[in-house]
Amino acid sequence: MLDYRFIKENLDAVKENIRNRNMVADADIVVALYDQKTALITELQGLQQKRNANAAAMKQKLDAETRQKYVAEGKQLKDDIAAVEKKLADIEPKLDEAARKIPNMASPAAPVGKLDTENLEVKKVGTPRTFDFKPKDHVQLGESLGLLDFDRGTKVSGQKFYYLKNEAVFLEQALIMYALNILRKHGFTTFITPDVARQEVLQGIGFNPRGNESNVYCIEDEGTCLVATAEITLGGYHSGEILDKSKLPLFYCGLSHCFRREAGAAGHFSKGLYRVHQFDKVEMFVYCLPEQSDEIHEKLRLIEEEIFTGLGLPFRVVDTCTGDLGAPAYRKWDLEAWMPGRADAEHPDGDYGEVTSTSNCTDYQARRLNVKYHDDDGKNKYVHMLNGTAVAVGRAMLAILENYQNADGSVTVPPVLVPFCGFDRIAPKENAASPVYVSAKAKK
């Protein structure tokens, strides 16, 4: 969250930032509640000083009438202090709730816009492949090669769940090992994180665990949720701690299952592996000094580019516009891989789809999670926190299947993955999509 004083002293800029980010938040209420809190604290301090003076006077030798006067005054001060403390206790959660709705300030360099169509393309890497046959989308490929089973995923678990089968199992593990080895080379500490986190940690990171628009699965009566990303568990790792400045920056990466309700998510390009309720992801997370975060943000993006360049996938980099940033982000880069299966009337050969992102969240999350470092001037200050996707396995696999498919229906495995998965080609299987059961109706 933003500092209350910052909101008060930069009210017009904060309001403009809310508009630019296409969010609903009331900065005026935050300032009004903050002013009330400040006045109550001043009043409370004054009453506490009087109480201390009264207590000191009571230690003196006093006649009965004077002592009684101080006793009565002390009782009144006690009641007055309790009343002010109650008002403070009532205001503080209201102030906190209102302030948490205020998004982080966006970078002045971020393009202003409301929709992801207004993101600014800044780089293209690789050239989309020209096919001499009609390419299939990844769902068709996955089913014909015996790699994906969405029908039984739906039968067993519900819509947007799926089974990975055969070579796809090894391809997923290869993608994970490929990404982890690149991050190990860059000095990251590796984690496998819990799949569950407390609601207060999710709120600190910027996820809303409640309401119809929440994107997370809550565990009833436990005060916990299934994590939507290892950003949550890595960000909560040092919550409430004061970090050693000499150890910063801390480069962490976490492998986790990710669970997302995807509330309100639909559309033609959400099919198959692109938008599902459960997937695996390797996430990067960094704690650093404020003056380091811009440079580290660039480093995280370059690592993402290294991963997808190594996979041989054409992609572009976009500078995310203010309306598509998400509340915690100061600035965000997205990598969008070329996906032939996104072909439509407007894009007959395919289109780009997001596969990774990296965000500099400055001290926004650190304030909510109370993560600080002890500075050379003797003061404790908030760290900056950054996150970035190394590989979201489902979307990376989607792009590989569609870009590396062959006319005979097979899929070539990117060379960098072959040492991890042990094969260089996924070939069609005889009757791969045929039933292996006899229906109850057929038995009759």
Side-chain angles (χ1 to χ4, degrees):
M1 62 170 55
L2 296 178
D3 178 68
Y4 299 148
R5 184 182 296 276
F6 176 88
I7 297 172
K8 177 180 172 66
E9 294 177 353
N10 300 273
L11 183 57
D12 289 341
V14 170
K15 286 181 175 180
E16 182 181 11
N17 182 62
I18 294 169
R19 288 191 297 269
N20 288 343
R21 298 181 74 133
N22 200 28
M23 293 184 177
V24 177
D26 193 333
D28 288 319
I29 287 180
V30 174
V31 172
L33 290 171
Y34 174 62
D35 285 344
Q36 291 177 45
K37 177 182 177 179
T38 302
L40 286 170
I41 290 173
T42 300
E43 182 180 355
L44 179 62
Q45 291 172 340
L47 290 170
Q48 289 170 335
Q49 288 175 354
K50 289 181 180 180
R51 180 188 61 188
N52 294 339
N54 178 273
M58 290 284 287
K59 293 178 181 179
Q60 307 300 316
K61 289 186 177 182
L62 303 171
D63 57 63
E65 181 178 352
T66 303
R67 178 171 294 278
Q68 188 59 39
K69 173 186 172 185
Y70 279 117
V71 168
E73 182 183 79
K75 288 180 178 179
Q76 185 60 52
L77 285 168
K78 181 180 178 181
D79 291 343
D80 291 345
I81 288 172
V84 174
E85 287 177 337
K86 184 179 184 307
K87 290 179 181 178
L88 267 174
D90 290 341
I91 280 178
E92 284 176 339
K94 295 176 182 177
L95 174 58
D96 181 75
E97 181 181 3
R100 284 177 180 270
K101 295 177 182 177
I102 306 289
N104 197 2
M105 299 299 288
S107 165
V112 176
K114 292 184 177 181
L115 303 173
D116 58 4
T117 53
E118 298 173 86
N119 293 343
L120 179 64
E121 180 184 299
V122 296
K123 179 192 287 189
K124 278 186 177 177
V125 176
T127 302
R129 178 181 170 189
T130 300
F131 293 90
D132 56 7
F133 60 92
K134 182 175 175 56
K136 300 175 182 178
D137 65 35
H138 74 283
V139 176
Q140 295 169 315
L141 287 163
E143 291 176 347
S144 66
L145 293 170
L147 305 177
L148 302 171
D149 194 332
F150 285 96
D151 290 339
R152 288 187 178 85
T154 299
K155 179 179 71 172
V156 172
S157 304
Q159 291 287 337
K160 292 189 176 294
F161 286 95
Y162 58 97
Y163 286 85
L164 288 181
K165 300 167 56 182
N166 300 315
E167 292 95 336
V169 176
F170 295 91
L171 190 58
E172 163 148 329
Q173 297 305 309
L175 280 163
I176 290 169
M177 289 303 299
Y178 166 66
L180 288 175
N181 274 283
I182 286 178
L183 296 179
R184 177 166 58 177
K185 178 188 73 175
H186 284 284
F188 282 73
T189 300
T190 53
F191 293 81
I192 294 178
T193 77
D195 288 335
V196 173
R198 299 181 186 276
Q199 288 187 9
E200 55 265 32
V201 175
L202 272 83
Q203 290 171 327
I205 290 294
F207 282 81
N208 175 20
R210 304 182 187 88
N212 293 332
E213 293 304 311
S214 174
N215 203 24
V216 297
Y217 290 101
C218 283
I219 301 175
E220 189 173 359
D221 299 326
E222 293 291 332
T224 57
C225 301
L226 298 177
V227 300
T229 166
E231 175 192 349
I232 294 167
T233 40
L234 293 175
Y237 190 75
H238 287 299
S239 60
E241 296 180 16
I242 299 174
L243 304 179
D244 184 344
K245 181 180 179 180
S246 67
K247 301 292 178 60
L248 297 175
L250 298 173
F251 288 90
Y252 292 165
C253 70
L255 168 63
S256 75
H257 301 306
C258 303
F259 302 89
R260 301 189 182 186
R261 292 179 60 236
E262 297 295 359
H268 173 60
F269 295 134
S270 294
K271 69 179 180 179
L273 292 174
Y274 191 80
R275 199 176 296 281
V276 291
H277 290 313
Q278 178 182 341
F279 59 96
D280 289 343
K281 180 156 69 82
V282 178
E283 181 77 2
M284 302 179 286
F285 198 91
V286 182
Y287 298 84
C288 70
L289 300 174
E291 60 267 26
Q292 297 170 328
S293 66
D294 284 338
E295 181 179 351
I296 289 174
H297 193 207
E298 295 292 314
K299 176 176 180 175
L300 295 184
R301 192 196 80 231
L302 290 173
I303 291 173
E304 293 176 344
E305 292 184 26
E306 178 184 350
I307 289 170
F308 278 83
T309 299
L311 289 171
L313 294 170
F315 64 87
R316 68 178 181 179
V317 180
V318 298
D319 194 353
T320 308
C321 73
T322 53
D324 195 37
L325 277 177
Y330 167 76
R331 197 175 191 189
K332 180 160 77 84
W333 303 102
D334 284 352
L335 258 65
E336 299 179 348
W338 181 254
M339 299 178 180
R342 289 198 157 208
D344 59 14
E346 188 176 351
H347 305 94
D349 298 321
D351 200 3
Y352 291 96
E354 181 191 337
V355 286
T356 74
S357 65
T358 176
S359 299
N360 181 358
C361 297
T362 60
D363 62 357
Y364 188 85
Q365 294 171 324
R367 288 180 180 278
R368 297 158 75 106
L369 291 167
N370 194 28
V371 186
K372 299 179 178 179
Y373 67 97
H374 191 68
D375 206 358
D376 297 337
D377 60 7
K379 297 180 179 179
N380 294 330
K381 300 175 182 178
Y382 291 103
V383 299
H384 277 199
M385 294 159 72
L386 303 94
N387 64 82
T389 305
V391 63
V393 178
R395 292 190 180 182
M397 189 180 298
L398 178 167
I400 288 169
L401 292 176
E402 293 186 357
N403 283 280
Y404 279 90
Q405 63 181 294
N406 303 310
D408 64 357
S410 68
V411 172
T412 302
V413 175
V416 293
L417 299 183
V418 172
F420 298 110
C421 66
F423 50 85
D424 59 9
R425 181 172 171 268
I426 304 173
K429 301 169 187 62
E430 187 176 353
N431 298 323
S434 299
V436 294
Y437 63 94
V438 178
S439 70
K441 183 176 180 181
K443 288 180 181 178
K444 295 178 181 178

